[in-house]
Amino acid sequence: MRARTRSTLSIPAAALGVLIAASACSAPGDSGSDDAGDSGPIKIAVVNAQSGQLASLGDWEAKGAKLAIEEWNKKGGIDGRKIKLTVFDDQGDPTTGTNIARKLDSGNYTAMIGTAESAVTVAMAPILRQAEIPNIASGQATALVDVKSPFLFLNGPTSTTYDATLADYLIKTKKFKKIAMISNNGSYGKGEHDAFSGILKDAGVEPVTDQVVTTDQKDFSAALSRIRQAKPDAVFIGSEEVEAGLIVKQARDLGITAPFAGAAPQGTPVFIDTAGVANVEGTIVSSPYLSNEISDAGRTFAKAYKAKYGKEAELHGAKAYDGTNIVLTALKNSDVARGKKLADEIRATEYAGLLGDFAFDETGVGIFRTTIGIIKNGKLSAAE
């Protein structure tokens, strides 16, 4: 068992009154020009898609990170220094992400939160490693672990954890024997496909059909027709929110009545809104954060989030809130260390978060549990 440099810490109390807007969100892509040194603001970057099909992810995560930072700044920051937040738009594009990584290096950033897009995070990782900028990412593809960077951490489980929980529920609890698969060929979809199909193989289950679509596809009739012919008990879906919603909507239009099953994207409002409430009824979701009502901490977070943004909190905002609090806790415990010392402190930090109890291993993964939820009447709640 690893030695811990500090005792376990829990989430700072969410500010329910007026939050001091001491953190600054610049225009996406603006790296800033000030040099924080050892006495100025502590510069934290949030990098995520703020435009394009994945913009909802970036918006949720930026809101979660900003809320955490404003709560810390209201209490005086860290060692008397305020925390400055800058949001960058990676557009869901790896090349844009690598250019931003270079800006973070030259801009004297202490740490980075994001991205939610695994392919972008993987592309940025070598530059951030060389710059010794710790990064807490929100993707779940196993490719993030394969990078083997001591500066890369995950603020949620990997696809292996999501899909092991899901497969166990489908096969052992629901006793489904005929499972179809549809996923996309992007980083997220490939990670989900490989993790879920591998788990099925280990369980001695062969998918009745395994369909792969492209990330920019809009018409899924050919793949869905094959799924309909296979008459599955359930359909595993490995795709992001918008595409997954379109797939489910078109599946229902074709007369496919089997429940869909998936991971984090299938638990989001964007997925539900895109597919339509009636079409997602009974969808089975594996997630570390099923709703804001699971715990007192979740309810407190959701109340503060709603007060600030006028919107309901969800998984991705919670993940960024946890990840940001972990970074800030490590900064406080290390007397505002940078580089490798800060990365080592993050790894040594045990944290009771919204998603569960974080304790990072040598791969950078800090949480290893999800639970099963079912969408009923447009809401995700724990399976009975």
Side-chain angles (χ1 to χ4, degrees), residues 140-163:
Q140 63 191 61
T142 53
L144 297 168
V145 173
D146 294 339
V147 168
K148 292 181 169 46
S149 170
F151 294 91
L152 179 57
F153 302 87
L154 275 63
N155 63 13
T158 65
S159 292
T160 301
T161 297
Y162 277 98
D163 296 339

Side-chain angles (χ1 to χ4, degrees), residues 307-330:
K308 179 167 181 59
Y309 303 116
K311 297 180 179 180
E312 297 296 329
E314 51 65 69
L315 168 66
H316 296 88
K319 288 172 74 174
Y321 183 84
D322 274 351
T324 304
N325 273 310
I326 289 168
V327 168
L328 299 181
T329 297

Side-chain angles (χ1 to χ4, degrees), residues 180-247:
M181 293 180 61
I182 181 169
S183 54
N184 68 37
N185 62 357
S187 179
Y188 173 78
K190 186 177 187 303
E192 284 293 287
H193 173 277
D194 292 352
F196 190 76
S197 60
I199 292 163
L200 288 187
K201 183 177 180 181
D202 290 343
V205 176
E206 182 76 20
V208 292
T209 185
D210 184 357
Q211 300 296 311
V212 177
V213 299
T214 65
T215 55
D216 58 353
Q217 198 164 325
K218 298 295 187 291
D219 181 355
F220 308 98
S221 56
L224 292 172
S225 293
R226 296 186 184 96
I227 289 174
R228 182 178 60 185
Q229 291 170 4
K231 299 179 179 179
D233 297 322
V235 182
F236 170 82
I237 184 167
S239 184
E240 294 84 346
E241 288 81 354
V242 173
E243 184 175 74
L246 293 174
I247 288 172

Side-chain angles (χ1 to χ4, degrees), residues 282-307:
T283 296
I284 301 163
V285 181
S286 174
S287 175
Y289 189 82
L290 293 177
S291 81
N292 300 321
E293 299 301 319
I294 295 298
S295 67
D296 289 341
R299 285 185 282 272
T300 300
F301 163 71
K303 185 175 181 180
Y305 190 100
K306 182 70 176 286

